[in-house]
Amino acid sequence: MYTPEKNKEIVRKLFEEVWNQHRPDRLGEFLLPTVVLTDPLVPLPTKGLDAEIEYMKLWAKTIPDLHFTIEEQIAEDDRVVTRLLAEGTHEGVLLGVPPTHQKAKVPCVVFHRFKGEKIAEAVVMWDAYAFLRATGALEAVKPALATA
């Protein structure tokens, strides 16, 4: 029986042992093969373990030194909400912005839903404005924002 506390531990391990150690090969230990990923700012396929691996590889190209610090977790029933601070250096195209080679610290929240002992769904929300401001890319996208 998986409890909310056990689910929080699984999510902690996902960030510490997979994301922070840049190990997409270990995603299958934590995610169902049918996992559904939603990140409204990243236009990639969103269904299946292969999509999650591609998502992680995209971030590895964009921010190769990406590191997450867990600031808070809340769990209830089959759901875990994690508030994180993502840190890293912008080395690849993101949101249409070429690499700035600047470091950024960006708050984000990830909602995970479990089915049994593995993650069935992940919804990612991160502060794109904070990223653009921290990397100095905000000026580059201001014309596009003005017409949106």
Side-chain angles (χ1 to χ4, degrees):
M1 171 85 179
Y2 278 78
T3 65
E5 284 305 311
K6 181 66 175 170
N7 291 345
K8 282 171 49 174
E9 180 183 328
I10 291 169
V11 172
R12 275 194 301 275
K13 284 182 177 184
L14 173 67
F15 283 107
E16 292 168 0
E17 297 177 12
V18 178
W19 278 94
N20 287 348
Q21 293 179 25
H22 310 284
R23 298 284 312 270
D25 58 302
R26 291 195 56 205
L27 282 169
E29 296 173 34
F30 300 89
L31 309 175
L32 287 173
T34 56
V35 65
V36 175
L37 168 69
T38 303
D39 179 341
L41 296 174
V42 179
L44 286 176
T46 58
K47 293 184 181 173
L49 187 56
D50 288 341
E52 182 79 20
I53 290 168
E54 289 305 309
Y55 180 76
M56 191 171 178
K57 286 179 179 179
L58 168 78
W59 285 108
K61 283 188 231 174
T62 305
I63 304 176
D65 59 346
L66 180 62
H67 184 272
F68 292 99
T69 301
I70 294 174
E71 297 185 328
E72 181 179 12
Q73 284 186 301
I74 300 169
E76 185 175 310
D77 300 325
D78 64 345
R79 299 176 193 274
V80 177
V81 179
T82 307
R83 185 171 57 87
L84 303 145
L85 183 64
E87 299 179 66
T89 309
H90 179 213
E91 299 291 351
V93 176
L94 183 61
L95 302 176
V97 177
T100 63
H101 312 291
Q102 298 295 311
K103 287 200 170 283
K105 292 183 180 182
V106 177
C108 54
V109 176
V110 181
F111 300 83
H112 288 102
R113 184 178 55 80
F114 281 78
K115 187 171 184 182
E117 62 190 55
K118 291 194 175 186
I119 296 167
E121 180 180 17
V123 178
V124 179
M125 303 182 129
W126 54 279
D127 188 342
Y129 181 80
F131 168 79
L132 293 170
R133 190 178 65 239
T135 60
L138 188 57
E139 289 302 315
V141 298
K142 272 188 178 177
L145 292 173
T147 61

